[in-house]
Amino acid sequence: MVTDEGEVIEVPQYYRKAQKPLKRLQRSVSRKQKGSNRYQKAVKRLSKAHQKVANQRRDFHHKVAHQLLQKGRHIAHEALNIKGLARTRLAKSIHDAGWGEFLQILAAKAERAGLLTIAGDPRGSSQGCSGCGRDVPKKLHERWHDCPHCGLRIGRDHNSARVIKSRAVGRPVLQAQEMSCYRAGVTGKPALYASAWVREYVTEKSRP
């Protein structure tokens, strides 16, 4: 996750780190006679190991959601097709990050806090310039945004966060930079906008 201020929160990758012991426990299960006491014990050990990974991931999600919401601002995220992306070569990384679970936790916490979560259109968020609003085409491997029109030079994900911010307030880039979220008609509260899980979240500061 990358904020509009360039802050990065890395995914801990709990599953990837636990893969070797999980494989060892799975082999232990496969070697036991199905239905035997040893088999049942091996299955229980494997289940506990998987549950530990799930608990670690869930705890991380709760802490990040709390970190975002403690500022008392609304959250916007990219409306990504998680199921579709999970069928690509990035499947393991996407499942390990747990995007869907995180967004559910974030939405539930936001509702309890009286805040909003807003799903925004992710199309072209990495191709537009957050400084001038013009298109700056980039290939997937290009991780730096260098606008030839206005001279803005920032990280690709950092730029995407700022673009999602402008979309969340429902205004073109230049207008969004000049307007508070109250004037943009989203809400009377100051807003924090997050682009993609989980790529980034962005902040809209209210003005007097």
Side-chain angles (χ1 to χ4, degrees), residues 103-203:
L103 292 175
Q104 289 177 355
I105 291 172
L106 183 63
K109 283 183 174 289
E111 184 177 359
R112 288 196 295 268
L115 301 172
L116 300 174
T117 53
I118 307 165
D121 187 352
R123 290 176 294 182
S125 63
S126 63
Q127 304 299 317
C129 178
S130 61
C132 64
R134 301 179 69 175
D135 288 339
V136 183
K138 292 179 282 292
K139 295 182 179 179
L140 186 60
H141 70 274
E142 297 179 90
R143 307 311 302 170
W144 193 257
H145 173 80
D146 191 351
C147 182
H149 309 293
C150 67
L152 179 66
R153 300 188 73 252
I154 55 177
R156 178 187 180 126
D157 291 338
H158 185 184
N159 177 71
S160 296
R162 294 173 55 172
V163 170
I164 290 297
K165 168 185 174 179
S166 68
R167 291 180 180 180
V169 296
R171 299 285 176 174
V173 171
L174 292 178
Q175 291 183 27
Q177 291 173 347
E178 297 299 324
M179 298 182 69
S180 70
C181 61
Y182 178 78
R183 292 172 185 164
V186 176
T187 177
K189 296 183 178 180
L192 177 149
Y193 296 104
S195 163
W197 175 254
V198 209
R199 269 200 331 203
E200 53 263 348
Y201 79 86
V202 293
T203 312

Side-chain angles (χ1 to χ4, degrees), residues 22-35:
L22 286 173
K23 286 182 179 179
R24 185 168 59 250
L25 290 170
Q26 184 63 59
R27 285 197 299 268
S28 177
V29 170
S30 64
R31 289 171 182 157
K32 302 295 189 295
Q33 182 178 352
K34 194 169 183 179

Side-chain angles (χ1 to χ4, degrees), residues 62-88:
H62 278 284
K63 288 178 178 177
V64 173
H66 176 73
Q67 179 180 335
L68 298 180
L69 293 168
Q70 68 180 352
K71 298 181 181 180
R73 297 170 180 173
H74 305 297
I75 305 291
H77 58 85
E78 291 182 349
L80 297 176
N81 179 9
I82 298 175
K83 289 185 178 180
L85 291 170
R87 292 194 290 267
T88 69

